[in-house]
Amino acid sequence: MLGFVRTDNEALVSCLGDPQRTVAAYRELLRRGENALSAIRVGLRDADPAVREGCCRLLDHLVDTGSMGQLVAMADDPDARVRIAAFHALACDRCKGETCAPGPDRVLEPALRHLAADPDPQVRARAAELVGKFAHSDARAAAALRASHANDPSRAVRKKAGWYAPGGTIYRRTAPASTGSQDGA
């Protein structure tokens, strides 16, 4: 099956670190769904950053309440690719199905910290997406996005932060429906 010597969940998770087998292992683990969650959670602690990154990408689709804390912790991983995958998984609602996205009490602090100071611009850009989810409801999020939009050394991060900051295109598109008319009619 799949050309692997072993096809148990743990073996497939370890194959996420093998460039020749990553795609097939990822697809099979995704197909196995919640039956593979235990092995994926263990993979978050693997020595190989490619395995940890693959596990974060899998949790983007398979996360459950039991895995959420571990996924949040991956935002502080030493490898930038893992942090990028973790922030994407935490910010992306599209892939979650019935699982509720984590609230600001769990994810806003790490997102604010990485938006302000992560050495990798791609991590800061992903952190901006997560901070942007709370820009309508948390003044710290709005202020951090404004600061990043004005001061980040990366043009790409400044642009993305501007989209999510108050007045930006994504901020306006995601604004909660108002309860009253604002046009004076």
Side-chain angles (χ1 to χ4, degrees), residues 36-72:
L37 273 174
S38 179
I40 293 167
R41 288 182 195 133
V42 170
L44 291 172
R45 297 185 303 271
D46 197 274
D48 185 344
V51 172
R52 298 193 308 271
E53 176 190 11
C55 290
C56 287
R57 290 187 311 111
L58 283 161
L59 287 177
D60 182 26
H61 300 275
L62 302 174
V63 73
D64 61 350
T65 54
S67 304
M68 192 60 73
Q70 290 174 286
L71 186 56
V72 171

Short mmCIF file of all heavy atoms in Angstrom, two decimals, residues 36-72:
data_model
loop_
_atom_site.label_atom_id
_atom_site.label_comp_id
_atom_site.label_asym_id
_atom_site.label_seq_id
_atom_site.Cartn_x
_atom_site.Cartn_y
_atom_site.Cartn_z
N ALA A 36 -6.07 9.17 12.76
CA ALA A 36 -4.63 9.45 12.74
C ALA A 36 -4.24 10.56 13.71
O ALA A 36 -3.06 10.87 13.85
CB ALA A 36 -4.20 9.83 11.32
N LEU A 37 -5.20 11.17 14.38
CA LEU A 37 -4.91 12.33 15.23
C LEU A 37 -3.88 12.07 16.32
O LEU A 37 -3.03 12.91 16.58
CB LEU A 37 -6.19 12.88 15.87
CG LEU A 37 -6.95 13.89 15.04
CD1 LEU A 37 -8.27 14.24 15.72
CD2 LEU A 37 -6.12 15.12 14.79
N SER A 38 -3.93 10.93 16.95
CA SER A 38 -2.98 10.63 18.01
C SER A 38 -1.54 10.66 17.49
O SER A 38 -0.66 11.26 18.09
CB SER A 38 -3.30 9.26 18.63
OG SER A 38 -2.38 8.96 19.64
N ALA A 39 -1.31 10.03 16.36
CA ALA A 39 0.03 10.01 15.76
C ALA A 39 0.44 11.41 15.30
O ALA A 39 1.62 11.79 15.42
CB ALA A 39 0.08 9.03 14.60
N ILE A 40 -0.50 12.18 14.78
CA ILE A 40 -0.20 13.55 14.34
C ILE A 40 0.20 14.41 15.53
O ILE A 40 1.15 15.19 15.46
CB ILE A 40 -1.39 14.14 13.57
CG1 ILE A 40 -1.59 13.38 12.25
CG2 ILE A 40 -1.21 15.63 13.33
CD1 ILE A 40 -2.91 13.66 11.55
N ARG A 41 -0.51 14.27 16.64
CA ARG A 41 -0.15 15.02 17.85
C ARG A 41 1.26 14.68 18.32
O ARG A 41 2.02 15.57 18.70
CB ARG A 41 -1.15 14.73 18.97
CG ARG A 41 -2.50 15.34 18.77
CD ARG A 41 -3.39 15.03 19.97
NE ARG A 41 -4.77 15.29 19.67
CZ ARG A 41 -5.77 14.46 19.94
NH1 ARG A 41 -5.54 13.30 20.53
NH2 ARG A 41 -7.00 14.79 19.64
N VAL A 42 1.61 13.41 18.29
CA VAL A 42 2.97 13.00 18.66
C VAL A 42 3.98 13.60 17.69
O VAL A 42 5.06 14.05 18.08
CB VAL A 42 3.08 11.46 18.72
CG1 VAL A 42 4.53 11.01 18.88
CG2 VAL A 42 2.23 10.90 19.86
N GLY A 43 3.62 13.66 16.41
CA GLY A 43 4.51 14.22 15.40
C GLY A 43 4.84 15.68 15.61
O GLY A 43 5.86 16.18 15.11
N LEU A 44 4.01 16.39 16.34
CA LEU A 44 4.30 17.79 16.64
C LEU A 44 5.57 17.95 17.48
O LEU A 44 6.13 19.05 17.55
CB LEU A 44 3.12 18.45 17.37
CG LEU A 44 1.84 18.65 16.56
CD1 LEU A 44 0.71 19.11 17.47
CD2 LEU A 44 2.07 19.63 15.42
N ARG A 45 6.01 16.87 18.11
CA ARG A 45 7.22 16.91 18.95
C ARG A 45 8.41 16.25 18.25
O ARG A 45 9.46 16.05 18.87
CB ARG A 45 6.94 16.23 20.29
CG ARG A 45 5.88 16.94 21.11
CD ARG A 45 5.72 16.33 22.50
NE ARG A 45 5.40 14.91 22.49
CZ ARG A 45 4.17 14.39 22.45
NH1 ARG A 45 3.12 15.20 22.40
NH2 ARG A 45 3.97 13.09 22.46
N ASP A 46 8.26 15.90 16.98
CA ASP A 46 9.34 15.23 16.24
C ASP A 46 10.57 16.15 16.12
O ASP A 46 10.43 17.38 16.05
CB ASP A 46 8.84 14.85 14.84
CG ASP A 46 9.73 13.82 14.18
OD1 ASP A 46 10.73 14.22 13.54
OD2 ASP A 46 9.43 12.62 14.31
N ALA A 47 11.74 15.57 16.07
CA ALA A 47 12.97 16.34 15.92
C ALA A 47 13.07 17.00 14.56
O ALA A 47 13.71 18.05 14.41
CB ALA A 47 14.18 15.44 16.15
N ASP A 48 12.43 16.43 13.55
CA ASP A 48 12.50 16.95 12.18
C ASP A 48 11.45 18.05 11.99
O ASP A 48 10.25 17.80 12.10
CB ASP A 48 12.26 15.81 11.20
CG ASP A 48 12.43 16.20 9.75
OD1 ASP A 48 12.45 17.41 9.43
OD2 ASP A 48 12.52 15.28 8.92
N PRO A 49 11.89 19.27 11.66
CA PRO A 49 10.91 20.35 11.46
C PRO A 49 9.94 20.09 10.32
O PRO A 49 8.80 20.55 10.36
CB PRO A 49 11.76 21.60 11.20
CG PRO A 49 13.15 21.14 11.02
CD PRO A 49 13.26 19.74 11.53
N ALA A 50 10.34 19.32 9.32
CA ALA A 50 9.43 19.00 8.22
C ALA A 50 8.26 18.15 8.71
O ALA A 50 7.12 18.31 8.23
CB ALA A 50 10.17 18.30 7.09
N VAL A 51 8.52 17.27 9.65
CA VAL A 51 7.45 16.46 10.23
C VAL A 51 6.51 17.36 11.04
O VAL A 51 5.28 17.28 10.91
CB VAL A 51 8.02 15.32 11.11
CG1 VAL A 51 6.91 14.60 11.87
CG2 VAL A 51 8.80 14.34 10.25
N ARG A 52 7.09 18.24 11.86
CA ARG A 52 6.25 19.15 12.66
C ARG A 52 5.41 20.05 11.75
O ARG A 52 4.22 20.27 12.01
CB ARG A 52 7.13 19.99 13.60
CG ARG A 52 7.90 19.16 14.61
CD ARG A 52 8.51 19.98 15.72
NE ARG A 52 9.32 21.10 15.31
CZ ARG A 52 10.64 21.06 15.04
NH1 ARG A 52 11.30 19.90 15.12
NH2 ARG A 52 11.29 22.17 14.70
N GLU A 53 6.01 20.55 10.68
CA GLU A 53 5.26 21.39 9.74
C GLU A 53 4.12 20.61 9.10
O GLU A 53 2.98 21.09 9.02
CB GLU A 53 6.20 21.91 8.64
CG GLU A 53 5.47 22.71 7.57
CD GLU A 53 6.34 23.03 6.37
OE1 GLU A 53 7.46 22.48 6.23
OE2 GLU A 53 5.88 23.84 5.54
N GLY A 54 4.39 19.39 8.66
CA GLY A 54 3.35 18.56 8.06
C GLY A 54 2.22 18.28 9.03
O GLY A 54 1.04 18.28 8.67
N CYS A 55 2.56 18.06 10.30
CA CYS A 55 1.53 17.81 11.31
C CYS A 55 0.68 19.06 11.53
O CYS A 55 -0.54 18.97 11.68
CB CYS A 55 2.17 17.34 12.61
SG CYS A 55 2.85 15.66 12.48
N CYS A 56 1.30 20.24 11.51
CA CYS A 56 0.52 21.49 11.62
C CYS A 56 -0.42 21.64 10.43
O CYS A 56 -1.57 22.03 10.58
CB CYS A 56 1.44 22.70 11.72
SG CYS A 56 2.28 22.88 13.30
N ARG A 57 0.09 21.32 9.23
CA ARG A 57 -0.76 21.43 8.04
C ARG A 57 -1.92 20.45 8.11
O ARG A 57 -3.04 20.76 7.71
CB ARG A 57 0.08 21.22 6.77
CG ARG A 57 1.03 22.38 6.49
CD ARG A 57 1.77 22.32 5.16
NE ARG A 57 2.40 21.05 4.87
CZ ARG A 57 2.00 20.20 3.92
NH1 ARG A 57 0.98 20.48 3.16
NH2 ARG A 57 2.64 19.06 3.72
N LEU A 58 -1.67 19.26 8.63
CA LEU A 58 -2.75 18.29 8.79
C LEU A 58 -3.78 18.78 9.81
O LEU A 58 -4.99 18.63 9.60
CB LEU A 58 -2.19 16.93 9.22
CG LEU A 58 -1.54 16.12 8.10
CD1 LEU A 58 -0.62 15.06 8.66
CD2 LEU A 58 -2.62 15.52 7.20
N LEU A 59 -3.30 19.38 10.89
CA LEU A 59 -4.23 19.88 11.90
C LEU A 59 -5.05 21.06 11.39
O LEU A 59 -6.11 21.35 11.95
CB LEU A 59 -3.49 20.25 13.19
CG LEU A 59 -3.01 19.04 14.00
CD1 LEU A 59 -2.22 19.50 15.22
CD2 LEU A 59 -4.17 18.15 14.41
N ASP A 60 -4.60 21.71 10.33
CA ASP A 60 -5.42 22.73 9.70
C ASP A 60 -6.77 22.14 9.30
O ASP A 60 -7.80 22.79 9.38
CB ASP A 60 -4.70 23.31 8.48
CG ASP A 60 -5.46 24.42 7.80
OD1 ASP A 60 -6.27 25.10 8.46
OD2 ASP A 60 -5.24 24.63 6.60
N HIS A 61 -6.76 20.88 8.89
CA HIS A 61 -7.98 20.20 8.45
C HIS A 61 -8.60 19.32 9.53
O HIS A 61 -9.82 19.13 9.54
CB HIS A 61 -7.68 19.32 7.23
CG HIS A 61 -7.16 20.08 6.07
ND1 HIS A 61 -7.97 20.71 5.17
CD2 HIS A 61 -5.89 20.35 5.68
CE1 HIS A 61 -7.24 21.32 4.27
NE2 HIS A 61 -5.97 21.12 4.55
N LEU A 62 -7.78 18.78 10.41
CA LEU A 62 -8.26 17.76 11.35
C LEU A 62 -8.33 18.21 12.80
O LEU A 62 -8.65 17.40 13.67
CB LEU A 62 -7.32 16.53 11.28
CG LEU A 62 -7.17 15.87 9.91
CD1 LEU A 62 -6.11 14.78 9.97
CD2 LEU A 62 -8.50 15.31 9.43
N VAL A 63 -8.00 19.46 13.09
CA VAL A 63 -7.90 19.89 14.48
C VAL A 63 -9.20 19.63 15.24
O VAL A 63 -10.29 19.74 14.69
CB VAL A 63 -7.48 21.38 14.58
CG1 VAL A 63 -8.62 22.30 14.18
CG2 VAL A 63 -6.98 21.72 15.96
N ASP A 64 -9.03 19.25 16.47
CA ASP A 64 -10.16 19.07 17.37
C ASP A 64 -9.81 19.80 18.67
O ASP A 64 -8.71 20.33 18.81
CB ASP A 64 -10.42 17.58 17.63
CG ASP A 64 -9.24 16.86 18.26
OD1 ASP A 64 -8.13 17.44 18.35
OD2 ASP A 64 -9.41 15.71 18.69
N THR A 65 -10.74 19.85 19.57
CA THR A 65 -10.48 20.60 20.80
C THR A 65 -9.31 20.02 21.58
O THR A 65 -8.58 20.75 22.23
CB THR A 65 -11.74 20.65 21.69
OG1 THR A 65 -12.20 19.31 21.92
CG2 THR A 65 -12.84 21.45 21.04
N GLY A 66 -9.07 18.72 21.47
CA GLY A 66 -7.95 18.09 22.16
C GLY A 66 -6.60 18.45 21.58
O GLY A 66 -5.57 18.33 22.25
N SER A 67 -6.56 18.88 20.34
CA SER A 67 -5.29 19.23 19.67
C SER A 67 -5.02 20.73 19.66
O SER A 67 -3.91 21.15 19.35
CB SER A 67 -5.32 18.75 18.21
OG SER A 67 -5.56 17.38 18.11
N MET A 68 -6.02 21.53 19.97
CA MET A 68 -5.89 22.98 19.80
C MET A 68 -4.75 23.57 20.62
O MET A 68 -3.98 24.40 20.12
CB MET A 68 -7.21 23.67 20.15
CG MET A 68 -7.26 25.11 19.73
SD MET A 68 -7.08 25.38 17.95
CE MET A 68 -8.66 24.80 17.36
N GLY A 69 -4.61 23.16 21.87
CA GLY A 69 -3.53 23.69 22.70
C GLY A 69 -2.16 23.38 22.13
O GLY A 69 -1.25 24.22 22.15
N GLN A 70 -1.98 22.17 21.60
CA GLN A 70 -0.71 21.81 21.00
C GLN A 70 -0.45 22.63 19.74
O GLN A 70 0.69 23.04 19.49
CB GLN A 70 -0.69 20.32 20.66
CG GLN A 70 -0.64 19.43 21.89
CD GLN A 70 -0.77 17.98 21.51
OE1 GLN A 70 -1.85 17.52 21.16
NE2 GLN A 70 0.35 17.28 21.57
N LEU A 71 -1.47 22.88 18.97
CA LEU A 71 -1.32 23.68 17.76
C LEU A 71 -0.94 25.12 18.12
O LEU A 71 -0.07 25.72 17.49
CB LEU A 71 -2.60 23.65 16.93
CG LEU A 71 -2.56 24.33 15.58
CD1 LEU A 71 -1.45 23.77 14.69
CD2 LEU A 71 -3.90 24.17 14.88
N VAL A 72 -1.57 25.66 19.15
CA VAL A 72 -1.22 27.02 19.61
C VAL A 72 0.25 27.06 20.04
O VAL A 72 0.98 28.00 19.72
CB VAL A 72 -2.15 27.46 20.76
CG1 VAL A 72 -1.66 28.77 21.38
CG2 VAL A 72 -3.59 27.63 20.25
#
